[in-house]
Amino acid sequence: MPQLAEKDDLISRVVYPDARSYIEEAIKCFEADAYRASVVMMCCAVFQDIRLKAYGLSSYDPWFEKFSKHVEHMRERQDSFESNVMEKVRSAKLFNEEQKSYLERIWRSRNEAAHPTSVTISRQLAEDFIVTGANLFLCDRALLGDPGADIILEQLENLEIFPEGAPVRDGSIAKSMLHDVLLGAAYYKLADKIVKKLSLETTPRFRRNSVAFLKSMAFMRTADSMAALNTALLNRRTPEPSDTWMLEVIAVSPDMLNAVSVAGRKGFDASLADMCRSFDRADIADHVTRFEELLEAVKGALGPIGLNESYPKFRDALVSLVWSQPALVACLATDGALRTSAIYELHQRLEEPAQAGHFVRMLVYRRFEKQLAEVLSDEEAFTILSQIACAAVNRDRECNRLVDDGFANLPSLLAKAVNLARENANEANAILSSYNGHWDLATMRDALGIDEVMDAEAVGVQ
């Protein structure tokens, strides 16, 4: 009696249990030398697999929906749905060329084997039908719909796909996982299921895997992957402030913000701003680099004008998170509302001594003082140093140390401040006077070393 090589492995890889029972019978017939019966049963296995896959995709694609309904209708009437499938063999929608060729051959052999004919089925042909049919159809997940989405969800829940702390740099992992189980038209349903599950209480592993998977989908940048993300994330739901993971996906492909409908942008803008503000102040230091990258990515994709017009609240919220970081320089280097938002946020924050001290530390630690000075006017630089001096008088240690050293660690800002005092003493005095009552004006004049310059300018004006 012939034995089919590696039959256990072949049977274990079959996707659908109904199809598995047919191939098991086909193998039994083959091993009993009943090759005609083996071909008939293998043909049943293949067409059952096609039927189930079409049904699984019916909710994703109109073509599959129509095809599946017709097949089920014929089954209810006890007609041969296999002949209907053969009518569709020429459709590239359902089969590739190798699959088409196989179906033509097994359908012809099945008809010859099931009716009295002089045609014989060789052992080699029967074995080829079993092995090739299993690999082309029964073990192939590439056409799965709902079952495929569930397979990936299960993997995200139970496997360490994306190790903690490992960055997602491309779309390779998502691409390999999706290629095994889903057509592009079905990506949306998977993305939708992931998003819905993320809104519930989930395990840290699922959350980590899912967010990384969505980012990997964004890195793919195919029409199907972006359409799925745009629909599931942007157009079918109102995000909650707790959905901060969305910011990570947007950072990968910020141009997806252009896909939000014009009517929906106002609400989505508010939601994105709420996500940014949901971060506790203590947590900002852990995420500040990510927010800098997000702001730069969004500004690059939408342009300063697009960002200002479409997402003003999101813009302001991001600026408020990176106001003390090098990203502030890029904002101040633009024109219009983005610059206005950045300089307003900076001056507002420096009113608080503790925030002024934090700003001084960041300027020195991240070494962007020169770049900052280059995008500020003399008046703005003078005002910033005035606010730092005010914080020093209010006993912030960082600011006090800086003032005692005559702003030596901020040479570029100091140069601009001194230039204002030299060129426009009245304006400098007006800025200093705006802080009268909060601190001793002499402190600032002495710290800048411009007392004599300003007095000389004043005499000259008289």
Side-chain angles (χ1 to χ4, degrees):
M1 292 288 181
Q3 296 291 312
L4 189 71
E6 300 181 356
K7 65 178 180 180
D8 291 337
D9 174 67
L10 197 67
I11 291 172
S12 69
R13 292 189 289 113
V14 174
V15 176
Y16 291 105
D18 286 354
R20 187 179 301 120
S21 67
Y22 280 116
I23 192 174
E24 287 174 340
E25 290 189 44
I27 292 173
K28 289 178 181 178
C29 292
F30 171 81
E31 293 180 341
D33 293 332
Y35 301 136
R36 289 184 178 182
S38 175
V39 170
V40 172
M41 298 312 299
M42 190 60 205
C43 189
C44 290
V46 170
F47 282 93
Q48 182 70 350
D49 178 79
I50 292 172
R51 169 187 164 248
L52 293 173
K53 285 174 178 173
Y55 180 79
L57 283 164
S58 61
S59 62
Y60 296 86
D61 187 288
W63 191 94
F64 284 106
E65 181 181 17
K66 182 178 179 181
F67 174 76
S68 182
K69 285 182 177 178
H70 185 64
V71 167
E72 297 308 312
H73 176 68
M74 295 186 71
R75 278 174 53 83
E76 290 175 2
R77 294 174 50 190
Q78 296 185 338
D79 288 341
S80 171
F81 76 88
E82 291 92 339
S83 59
N84 183 264
V85 172
M86 293 308 299
E87 292 175 8
K88 307 293 184 182
V89 162
R90 298 187 185 279
S91 171
K93 183 83 174 183
L94 190 58
F95 308 112
N96 60 39
E97 293 302 319
E98 189 177 9
Q99 290 172 321
K100 292 177 186 179
S101 174
Y102 175 88
L103 288 174
E104 292 280 8
R105 290 189 298 111
I106 196 169
W107 178 247
R108 182 172 59 251
S109 296
R110 174 260 189 198
N111 287 338
E112 293 171 346
H115 299 91
T117 65
S118 59
V119 175
T120 59
I121 302 295
S122 68
R123 174 183 179 279
Q124 183 178 2
L125 182 60
E127 182 176 10
D128 176 67
F129 277 138
I130 293 173
V131 175
T132 304
N135 289 326
L136 287 181
F137 293 93
L138 276 64
C139 301
D140 177 33
R141 301 183 184 277
L143 289 180
L144 287 179
D146 282 315
D150 292 338
I151 286 171
I152 292 182
L153 280 175
E154 185 177 353
Q155 291 174 335
L156 295 176
E157 183 73 59
N158 298 315
L159 302 179
E160 290 293 345
I161 302 172
F162 297 91
E164 187 171 2
V168 180
R169 301 188 185 280
D170 54 47
S172 58
I173 294 180
K175 183 178 180 180
S176 64
M177 293 174 68
L178 290 167
H179 177 74
D180 287 342
V181 297
L182 288 179
L183 282 178
Y187 289 2
Y188 158 66
K189 288 292 183 71
L190 172 62
D192 190 54
K193 288 185 176 185
I194 291 174
V195 170
K196 287 179 178 177
K197 192 165 183 178
L198 279 171
S199 66
L200 305 174
E201 289 292 331
T202 59
T203 64
R205 175 189 291 161
F206 178 81
R207 183 178 181 83
R208 179 175 66 253
N209 279 337
S210 295
V211 174
F213 182 82
L214 294 175
K215 289 168 66 176
S216 189
M217 280 187 70
F219 269 118
M220 287 172 63
R221 291 185 174 87
T222 65
D224 288 324
S225 69
M226 295 314 301
L229 292 175
N230 291 341
T231 304
L233 273 66
L234 309 182
N235 295 324
R236 291 288 181 89
R237 59 191 294 272
T238 300
E240 298 293 332
S242 59
D243 293 336
T244 54
W245 55 266
M246 283 186 60
L247 299 176
E248 297 184 49
V249 182
I250 292 172
V252 172
S253 186
D255 53 343
M256 66 193 302
L257 292 177
N258 288 317
V260 179
S261 65
V262 175
R265 286 186 183 179
K266 184 176 181 180
F268 198 75
D269 179 33
S271 295
L272 292 174
D274 287 341
M275 290 179 204
C276 293
R277 296 190 182 100
S278 70
F279 283 84
D280 293 333
R281 188 66 57 192
D283 292 337
I284 295 302
D286 296 333
H287 303 283
V288 68
T289 300
R290 180 155 57 89
F291 285 123
E292 285 191 280
E293 293 171 351
L294 175 59
L295 176 57
E296 188 60 31
V298 170
K299 183 165 65 69
L302 304 182
I305 295 177
L307 178 59
N308 294 335
E309 292 179 350
S310 299
Y311 298 98
K313 292 183 179 179
F314 183 35
R315 173 204 67 204
D316 290 346
L318 281 174
V319 169
S320 73
L321 293 172
V322 303
W323 71 274
S324 63
Q325 306 298 324
L328 178 70
V329 174
C331 298
L332 292 171
T334 64
D335 296 320
L338 179 57
R339 190 184 196 286
T340 301
S341 173
I343 197 66
Y344 175 80
E345 184 71 30
L346 178 57
H347 287 322
Q348 285 290 104
R349 292 301 185 97
L350 293 179
E351 293 289 333
E352 303 175 28
Q355 298 281 38
H358 171 71
F359 180 66
V360 167
R361 286 193 298 275
M362 289 299 100
L363 272 180
V364 175
Y365 175 70
R366 299 202 66 180
R367 300 179 180 179
F368 65 99
E369 183 262 349
K370 181 179 179 181
Q371 291 84 352
L372 177 63
E374 289 173 352
V375 296
L376 292 176
S377 67
D378 291 351
E379 291 85 352
E380 289 166 342
F382 192 96
T383 302
I384 288 171
L385 295 192
S386 297
Q387 291 179 293
I388 292 173
C390 184
V393 173
N394 283 282
R395 294 180 174 78
D396 179 82
R397 288 183 297 177
E398 293 287 344
C399 295
N400 193 61
R401 187 180 303 113
L402 188 67
V403 171
D404 287 344
D405 292 339
F407 294 104
N409 283 336
L410 305 180
S412 299
L413 289 173
L414 177 61
K416 285 213 161 190
V418 170
N419 190 61
L420 177 71
R422 181 178 293 113
E423 300 294 332
N424 194 339
N426 289 337
E427 177 66 20
N429 268 316
I431 294 172
L432 289 173
S433 298
S434 67
Y435 294 96
N436 195 16
H438 295 279
W439 59 292
D440 184 2
L441 298 180
T443 303
M444 178 64 177
R445 299 163 72 94
D446 182 61
L448 290 176
I450 58 172
D451 233 357
E452 295 179 1
V453 173
M454 292 176 68
D455 289 341
E457 292 287 341
V459 170
V461 171
Q462 293 176 358

